[in-house]
Amino acid sequence: MFKNFWYAVEFATDVVPGKPKRVKVLGQQLVLYRKNSDNSVVAMSDLCVHRGAALSDGEVKGDCIMCPYHGWEYNPAGEVTKIPAHPDKGIPRKARIDSYPVQEKYMMVWVYMGDLPEEERPPIPDWSAVDDTDTYAAVTGSFLWKSNYERILENGVDVAHTPFVHGGVFGNPEKPEVPEFEIEESPWHCKVSVKLNPPKSKGLWGLINPNKQDLANRPQVPVSTTWWLPNMILLEVDTPMGAMKIFDVNIPIDEETTLVKFIALRTFFKGKWADRDAKRRVFKVLYEDQAIVDAVRPELLPFDLSDELHVKSDYNAVLYRRRRQQLIDMGWSVEGNTIVGEGPARVEARVIPSPIRKEVPELASAWNFKEVRSREIKAGIQEKEAAAKDVAAARKPKGAVNGAAATTKNEDVKA
Ligand code: FES
Ligand SMILES: [Fe+2]
């Protein structure tokens, strides 16, 4: 999991004035609430610095939030402004928690989970189609998934699985070949575009197109899949009926749990009457994917590219893994289980650092909660690998030829 990105954490309409909302991302609990003065959203660490109560169980008071335990009040910057038990005493400098930058965009609340200054932050991708309500009708949904978000992301942009996992819906088992594809990429995204042969139309759609039933007569359908770092995908399908775009964030609640939130747009059957069916179609696809992805092992994406075998149609997944490795090398990965309440961290609270920690160096000693571990992850992996190699070498029977038993693995993709 990675810090320093904007994470869409909730649909904007689900953050209601006067009601603090608890969300979890990257293993860390956050409280979201709307300020009374201008209705803008505040996102803070959901952990009172006094005795660790969840502020999300508290109360919004003006632009502040009050802790439910002893009534301490925090302003939107995360500073304690009131300690009711001692109104005449000064407020300690350490009475503060991390407050994260927020943007409301494309129907969602985006929280910047990191400490980089504004100009160095990776961008929120361009999802302006979501705001184009003249062209598109939209449905939204959430899907809680007990799998790792990176496995889910790779599945979402994988063209080759559709004939097998979604045969009959939009994958075509009669034609599983992945033809030549176009690639567009930047440091933050990769888009693959391909023309696919659609499956036989069923139901109403089959009746409308009776002469398109055999493979030769069915027009090819342009399909593209895009990922954006660290957890977003888009599926675009240009059907003869019209265009479909499914934007999807895979929110890493922790390493093994993902909350998928999608916005599905369509240019056809735009009436409200068709919303239920549009939503049902997305859930059908998600259930089909879930059945496969939940059984994938190892549960987490391997760190080493050569730990799985890649072919040409895995191009975008391999690119994702390469970029991910760079992020690990940059020290952006976070160890979710060092954040409050998980595993060995049960007696220690760590949080994702917010920008103010860097912006105001004078506050360096004012943070009660330590920063989540990041850089150490890579070192830890290398250490474990080295130890495993030592053990393997010690076990090797005398006279064995070095590497004789090693299987050949595809280290690269020849696209
Ligand atoms: S735990 Fe929040 S005020 Fe005491
Ligand atoms: Fe799928």
Side-chain angles (χ1 to χ4, degrees), residues 48-53 55 67-72 74:
C48 181
V49 74
H50 177 219
R51 285 292 178 274
L55 298 175
C67 179
Y69 205 172
H70 311 94
W72 291 22
Y74 292 80

Side-chain angles (χ1 to χ4, degrees), residues 252-293:
I253 290 186
D254 54 39
E255 294 279 19
E256 293 94 23
T257 322
T258 303
L259 181 59
V260 177
K261 288 195 180 271
F262 67 83
I263 305 170
L265 309 181
R266 62 187 194 276
T267 61
F268 52 92
F269 297 155
K270 282 161 67 178
K272 279 261 162 258
W273 60 270
D275 278 0
R276 225 174 100 169
D277 200 48
K279 214 166 168 167
R280 193 186 51 79
R281 269 199 307 269
V282 180
F283 276 103
K284 184 174 188 318
V285 168
L286 286 169
Y287 281 121
E288 287 171 349
D289 284 326
Q290 185 188 36
I292 298 293
V293 176

Side-chain angles (χ1 to χ4, degrees), residues 328-376:
I328 294 172
D329 294 342
M330 283 155 70
W332 286 21
S333 51
V334 292
E335 220 179 287
N337 64 7
T338 64
I339 296 181
V340 194
E342 306 281 346
R346 280 180 186 275
V347 291
E348 178 192 68
R350 284 181 186 259
V351 294
I352 309 266
S354 61
I356 192 177
R357 294 200 185 211
K358 272 193 181 150
E359 273 162 23
V360 188
E362 307 85 77
L363 288 180
S365 61
W367 300 99
N368 212 53
F369 301 124
K370 289 184 207 129
E371 291 183 18
V372 64
R373 296 195 178 93
S374 51
R375 265 180 202 285
E376 300 92 318

Side-chain angles (χ1 to χ4, degrees), residues 188-213:
W188 308 113
H189 91 295
C190 174
K191 175 177 179 176
V192 164
S193 303
V194 67
K195 285 204 171 76
L196 295 178
N197 292 89
K200 266 189 190 145
S201 309
K202 284 189 201 153
L204 181 66
W205 183 231
L207 291 174
I208 299 169
N209 297 272
N211 57 346
K212 306 268 174 59
Q213 287 300 307

Side-chain angles (χ1 to χ4, degrees), residues 61-137:
K61 287 188 125 192
D63 284 356
C64 297
I65 189 158
M66 185 185 79
C67 179
Y69 205 172
H70 311 94
W72 291 22
E73 284 179 32
Y74 292 80
N75 68 16
E79 300 154 333
V80 173
T81 53
K82 191 173 173 185
I83 298 179
H86 308 288
D88 304 327
K89 292 225 153 65
I91 291 173
R93 189 175 150 86
K94 280 196 166 190
R96 65 179 69 236
I97 54 173
D98 287 274
S99 175
Y100 302 93
V102 175
Q103 289 190 52
E104 258 185 83
K105 228 176 163 178
Y106 310 137
M107 297 171 75
M108 305 212 67
V109 172
W110 300 74
V111 179
Y112 184 71
M113 295 302 292
D115 58 359
L116 295 183
E118 212 173 326
E119 58 286 0
E120 289 173 30
R121 295 173 199 164
I124 292 178
D126 178 5
W127 284 12
S128 40
V130 171
D131 294 335
D132 183 359
T133 48
D134 289 338
T135 310
Y136 300 101

